[in-house]
Amino acid sequence: MKLKSVKITNYRTIEDSGEFDIGDDITCLVGKNEAGKTAALNAIRGIKPYKGRGRYDKLRDYPRRHYSSYKKRHPNGEAVVCESKWDLDDADEMVLSNEFGQKFLTSRVMVVTSYYGGSSTWEISLNEKSAVAHICSQEKLDAVEKGVVANCQTTDQVHQSIEQSGNESEKLGRIKKRIGQYRDQKAYLKAIDLLSERMPSFVYFADYSRMSGEISVDQYQEDEQNEVLKDEDMLFADFLSFAGTDMDELAETDQYEEHRIQLETASNAITQQIFEYWKQNANLEIQVDVGPGKEGDPKPFNKGTVMRVRVKNRLHGASVPFSERSSGFAWFFSFLVHFSQVKEHYAGKNANVIILLDEPGLTLHAKAQLDLLRYVQKELACNHQVIYTTHSPFMIIPDRWNTIRTVEDVLIERTGSPPEIQGTKVSSDFLKTSGDTIFPLQGALGYELSQTLLIGKKVLIVEGSSDALYLKVASSILNGQGKNHIEEWTICPANGIDKIAALISLVLVHGEEREIVVLVDYQSGDRGKVQRLERNSKANVLRCSAFCEKKSANAEADVEDIFGKSVYLDLLKKSCDLDIDADAISDEGRIVKQIESLLGRKLPHNKPADWLLRNPRFLSEGTADAEQALGRFEEMFSEINGNERGRADEPKKEHTNEN
């Protein structure tokens, strides 16, 4: 089964997160510090925490400002923390079918609601009457036996009817015994128990989760007995398990050399896995020392068996304690140790795990973060759902924007009254979140863009991001129709005509052969800038005005004018709920400028472009005017594809002096 969505309430800073989707493989929660990312991850963890670590605690986790009124706010029992929706898979359905027949499960969507106190409720669409028929049919009852269960709709009714019949045959006895093993003799409770065993546990790992570099076996055993073990010491126990030993075995033996070799073998196996992805320094090795504590050492390392882990740099021969090594390397090593034991724990079992990573790789160099992200994609997400938090642009998968959910602590200011505290909200709608929240996304996009520019051989530079979206939509539609499009071109918004020249220089900085085309808006105030680009840049410059309804190279026009008045006004109406009278807009001049003058304010350029990106049928299945607009885009794409890089070296055409 897979987790499909989550809604968190009554948990730390989260009063109501809103329902948000969970990806089939990876989900990235992005937000600034103190936004509530860790709270969201821990709330999800509490649905079914691995080995019970991370259960909900009312005193610790319920929103502090409402704690005193807990009973008043929840008079009917415990507060809901998490409502999770799951999709059951073929294997889940088969388990139920084997017990209750193929018609028992009527929907694969399951809802689990988790409460404080450890309880939960399950909503599953089941046909209990079908289960009764299946169970009874397997015993091939005769007419008299069938009469005993004839009016039963549920399994508990079957059990009760057989018990009260006074005529319990061998077959009816087997049915009664079988149903008697169900919780309260109810089929739906048995179904919950079967699926509960299959539900994935949530394994949580934080940036600060690092294995101890030094441990006293005596102190560990004492802490374990008193149930006060620290996370870092439990990670060391995972390391011992991976090596095939444990604390008790180490405490009872004096074969220190044998154990040292055993532990170093295990550490080498883990380190070898790391170096498939850890590209920062390939000359590191783990050394393990096991021996009796020395009197001069600090407590508790001055007696009993003590283990110490060091990291050696083979290049210059020096070693340092594990705790003093690069925190990034220590985190990576600790995570692989822990995850290897999680896999061992579930080996041969039907249940799986969902991995929760809280700010993974926070202390890593940017390139190392990319290595970690590669590990998450290739080694974890192929077998497990992974949910992780970050505020680093380098921990965002550049071509998987659908994996991102923004996390924001919402406070609404109100004039003359106290602000309204809405708490942490989680959303997939980037337009509804603040600039601070989506800053990592902007950074990731900028990084991806710079890398693309240095790699792409065909670069189409446009003035704004809305222009890029319009061109992508039109190109995609035309491609689907088998017409001229610009699939091979990297579309790059320059954010204004003034930045185009610098962007061209950036594209050409490595001196590689590239085709560069610039598509510019054209207006009276920018005529000189456009003409300088046409004369001096190593790119072919195209004016939007050349592809409008009334073609004139010297007319004012934006990309929006290529749509034509009728289509663009209809687009504004659908995307921005703006009903502009077509008669109020002249056929001459830029349509956007005219509308802004009419409204007395700026138009939200990206909003209609974003809407069109999500609703391309507006053009592909639109009016005759929309079809003509696509024809103009096709003409422009044909011109772009025909502009080879070599033309930049040809003499420039003379342009009319319009100054």
Side-chain angles (χ1 to χ4, degrees), residues 7 44 81 132 138 160 259-260 266 316 335 342 357 444 463 475 480 561:
K7 180 182 179 182
I44 296 172
V81 182
V132 170
Q138 291 186 313
Q160 185 179 14
H259 284 298
R260 184 181 67 81
H316 50 66
F335 174 72
V342 170
L357 302 178
E463 289 198 31
S475 178
D561 291 291

Side-chain angles (χ1 to χ4, degrees), residues 435-648:
D436 289 346
T437 299
I438 64 172
F439 182 77
L441 310 185
Q442 295 169 334
L445 183 60
Y447 178 77
E448 181 196 8
L449 178 60
S450 65
Q451 294 301 299
T452 303
L453 287 176
L454 297 178
I455 296 171
K457 297 296 184 183
K458 294 184 176 183
V459 180
L460 171 59
I461 299 176
V462 296
E463 289 198 31
S465 57
S466 60
D467 299 340
L469 292 178
Y470 286 139
L471 267 57
K472 284 185 176 181
V473 173
S475 178
S476 177
I477 294 171
L478 291 168
N479 183 25
Q481 296 175 354
K483 297 179 180 178
N484 228 319
H485 60 286
I486 49 171
E487 186 177 32
E488 296 180 358
W489 290 79
T490 298
I491 305 176
C492 174
N495 196 24
I497 192 170
D498 294 322
K499 298 179 182 178
I500 290 177
L503 197 50
I504 293 173
S505 299
L506 176 62
V507 174
L508 295 174
V509 70
H510 291 293
E512 297 181 17
E513 285 294 312
R514 302 181 192 278
E515 297 178 37
I516 305 175
V517 173
V518 177
L519 179 68
V520 292
D521 298 338
Y522 196 64
Q523 51 187 301
S524 57
D526 291 336
R527 286 176 181 172
K529 298 174 184 177
V530 171
Q531 289 171 3
R532 281 192 292 274
L533 274 176
E534 291 171 331
R535 287 195 300 265
N536 303 324
S537 71
K538 295 182 178 181
N540 290 290
V541 180
L542 303 178
R543 303 180 185 183
C544 291
S545 51
F547 307 100
C548 295
E549 287 181 288
K550 293 188 176 181
K551 298 177 183 177
S552 171
N554 299 325
E556 293 193 357
D558 303 323
V559 170
E560 288 84 351
D561 291 291
I562 300 174
F563 287 101
K565 181 171 68 172
S566 169
V567 175
Y568 187 70
L569 290 180
D570 193 22
L571 176 60
L572 277 185
K573 184 175 182 179
K574 293 183 182 301
S575 62
C576 303
D577 199 25
L578 287 175
D579 196 355
I580 307 295
D581 184 3
D583 293 336
I585 305 299
S586 168
D587 291 333
E588 304 294 333
R590 296 159 54 218
I591 189 170
V592 170
K593 182 179 179 181
Q594 291 186 68
I595 294 172
E596 289 179 343
S597 178
L598 193 65
L599 296 174
R601 59 181 172 84
K602 287 283 187 181
L603 271 178
H605 286 237
N606 280 335
K607 194 169 182 179
D610 179 68
W611 184 90
L612 184 60
L613 184 66
R614 290 181 281 110
N615 300 274
R617 288 186 177 181
F618 172 80
L619 275 184
S620 62
E621 300 177 6
T623 62
D625 288 340
E627 188 175 338
Q628 291 174 10
L630 279 174
R632 291 190 288 273
F633 276 107
E634 183 186 10
E635 181 185 354
M636 181 174 67
F637 296 155
S638 179
E639 180 73 14
I640 291 170
N641 290 329
N643 270 312
E644 298 175 358
R645 173 60 173 28
R647 295 186 186 182

Side-chain angles (χ1 to χ4, degrees), residues 207-321:
D207 172 67
Y208 53 79
S209 301
R210 299 187 187 108
M211 187 181 79
S212 296
E214 185 177 39
I215 198 163
S216 162
V217 174
D218 292 347
Q219 186 65 50
Y220 179 93
Q221 291 178 318
E222 181 181 332
D223 290 347
E224 184 179 36
Q225 186 174 358
N226 296 328
E227 297 183 347
V228 292
L229 277 175
K230 295 179 287 187
D231 287 345
E232 53 266 37
D233 290 345
M234 286 190 281
L235 283 170
F236 205 108
D238 286 340
F239 176 50
L240 294 180
S241 296
F242 183 79
T245 185
D246 56 34
M247 292 292 181
D248 293 337
E249 188 175 301
L250 287 174
E252 295 170 359
T253 183
D254 57 0
Q255 300 295 321
Y256 298 125
E257 184 65 19
E258 179 183 341
H259 284 298
R260 184 181 67 81
I261 294 172
Q262 198 172 0
L263 292 169
E264 285 190 350
T265 300
S267 64
N268 289 339
I270 292 288
T271 306
Q272 188 173 0
Q273 291 182 46
I274 288 179
F275 286 143
E276 290 183 30
Y277 296 93
W278 182 267
K279 304 302 182 185
Q280 305 306 295
N281 188 342
N283 296 300
L284 304 180
E285 67 178 29
I286 300 292
Q287 297 179 328
V288 183
D289 179 62
V290 185
K294 304 295 179 64
E295 289 186 5
D297 289 335
K299 294 182 179 181
F301 308 110
N302 58 344
K303 62 179 181 178
T305 302
V306 177
M307 287 177 289
R308 295 179 173 88
V309 180
R310 299 181 68 84
V311 182
K312 179 182 178 180
N313 189 317
R314 293 190 295 263
L315 200 60
H316 50 66
S319 68
V320 296

Side-chain angles (χ1 to χ4, degrees), residues 38 53 55 142 183 290 303 364 471 655:
T38 296
R53 300 177 189 173
R55 292 190 177 96
D142 60 27
R183 185 157 47 106
V290 185
K303 62 179 181 178
L364 295 178
L471 267 57
H655 293 280

